[in-house]
Amino acid sequence: MFLQSVFALSLALPSLSTAARLFATHYDGNVYSLNLDGEGDKFSLTKTHNLTTCGGAGSTSALTVDPDRGLLWCVGEGTPGALTALQVEKDGKFKEVVTVETPPGGVDSVMYGKEKQFLAIAHYGNSSISLFNIPFADKQKVNPFDVVRLPQPKNVTEKQPKSQPHQVLLDPTGSFLLSPDLGSDKMHVFAIDQKSGKLNKCGFNSTIHFAPGSGPRHGVFVTSSEAHHAWLGSKPHGGRLTRRNGEKAVLYTVEELRGYMCPFDVSYRNGGCPEFKQLTACFRPYPGSKFPSDKTTLGEIRAAGPTLHISVRKDGKFDGNDSLVTLKPGQTEVTDADLFSSGGKTPRSFVINKKGDLVAVGNQDSSTVVILKRDPQTGKLLSEVASLLVGEAPAEGTWGGLSSIVWYE
């Protein structure tokens, strides 16, 4: 069985002798294995392996890291879509174990369940979330055990013609799955049936409704009392909030179309679905609250330690290269000092390593992976320490380039 062979492999693997392993997807249809060596300010980033997989050219979209099983789960957004299990070996080489068809337009996935035995995929191009049991047995015919259809927006526009889920993420308890819907201006919230993996839609009070034309794209939870109190300020709780595990949580979201960041306090009533209360007015996390171009959009938001980081696409702030914004808890105004170069054009994807001292940026239009040094205590981005062209950059005005980047750790 595939499950048994995967666990045997993962137990046999020695620890990596290199500083770090990364994997990137590119719309040329390849997944690339990258090796990062070095320390201090001297790093070397090299490509070690690549494989055409996960639906091929135009499809290869996103990766989810599954190190306990020695796997990467690759999502393809073609028609049909694809879900591919990639088995990772000790030197970073990898091979396709099995690939299955999915609904079209897959752009993100997340593992869930107590044993990470389920995988949910957001299908931007199909207005749905598909659910799979993982891992698969060899040569087993695999289909999603459920496909959750999302309701269509009442007022469609050219930019928002249908429901367009762009991400799937878990709440801090692992009991609920959320999906920001760029097309419907909503954050859908589902309760997870831990036994079957099925999703049950939470009620109206749990759904976040964004302003018309906002286009919510990405979200992240922070579970620190400091971050919570900084955003809540001196406003009274009123005694109505209940928490799980004694933690206070804040959900931060970024919008693609309006370009705002919004913070929400998270509470649970009687162990039920979470409820969200906006902490401050949504704001544009950019100097002067004004983007330099109508083509400038926000991409992703990540959190680590005391700070939030947001990618800004097509602002060209740094001699044509785009920006990452660093925000401290409670900060609602941004200056030029809060911006740092992404080292390339259109930072579609970026990730922070577990130690919090390095950030890997996947710049889509320049097709570069850039490594930034980060102070894990302050969250400040310090310097660019490595850069590598991965695949080919797309011709100006055409679609292509890097689609995602992950640390394998």
Side-chain angles (χ1 to χ4, degrees), residues 14-27:
S15 60
L16 295 175
S17 58
T18 56
R21 177 73 56 190
L22 301 98
F23 289 90
T25 58
H26 193 292
Y27 283 121

Side-chain angles (χ1 to χ4, degrees), residues 250-279:
V250 178
L251 170 67
Y252 301 94
T253 63
V254 290
E255 305 164 348
E256 177 172 324
L257 301 182
R258 187 173 62 158
Y260 280 26
M261 192 278 277
C262 302
F264 299 91
D265 179 70
V266 187
S267 64
Y268 302 85
R269 288 183 181 271
N270 301 319
C273 288
E275 296 182 13
F276 301 89
K277 180 181 179 181
Q278 191 169 318
L279 295 179

Side-chain angles (χ1 to χ4, degrees), residues 253-373:
T253 63
V254 290
E255 305 164 348
E256 177 172 324
L257 301 182
R258 187 173 62 158
Y260 280 26
M261 192 278 277
C262 302
F264 299 91
D265 179 70
V266 187
S267 64
Y268 302 85
R269 288 183 181 271
N270 301 319
C273 288
E275 296 182 13
F276 301 89
K277 180 181 179 181
Q278 191 169 318
L279 295 179
T280 65
C282 301
F283 67 98
R284 182 167 288 165
Y286 203 79
S289 299
K290 185 177 180 180
F291 288 148
S293 165
D294 59 4
K295 295 182 180 180
T296 304
T297 61
L298 302 181
E300 291 189 335
I301 182 169
R302 305 283 183 185
T307 51
L308 297 166
H309 302 281
I310 300 169
S311 60
V312 183
R313 303 176 298 176
K314 299 186 184 300
D315 73 330
K317 181 74 173 179
F318 296 90
D319 295 326
N321 289 338
D322 295 329
S323 303
L324 295 185
V325 179
T326 300
L327 293 177
K328 298 176 181 178
Q331 182 178 346
T332 57
E333 293 184 4
V334 176
T335 69
D336 285 343
D338 300 312
L339 270 56
F340 197 89
S341 175
S342 74
K345 301 180 187 296
T346 317
R348 178 181 174 88
S349 174
F350 74 99
V351 280
I352 305 166
N353 68 350
K354 288 183 178 180
K355 289 178 62 177
D357 62 348
L358 294 173
V359 179
V361 185
N363 291 293
Q364 181 175 358
D365 285 344
S366 58
S367 203
T368 50
V369 173
V370 175
I371 308 298
L372 305 178
K373 189 175 180 181

Side-chain angles (χ1 to χ4, degrees), residues 173-197:
T173 73
S175 300
F176 300 93
L177 182 142
L178 292 80
S179 183
D181 190 332
L182 193 151
S184 294
D185 296 321
K186 294 179 181 178
M187 177 73 78
H188 302 286
V189 184
F190 302 90
I192 297 170
D193 184 317
Q194 296 291 344
K195 185 175 181 180
S196 69

Side-chain angles (χ1 to χ4, degrees), residues 37 91 118 159 248 300 304 310 315 397 399:
D37 270 311
D91 60 354
F118 308 116
K159 290 185 176 180
K248 297 178 176 66
E300 291 189 335
I310 300 169
D315 73 330
W399 182 257

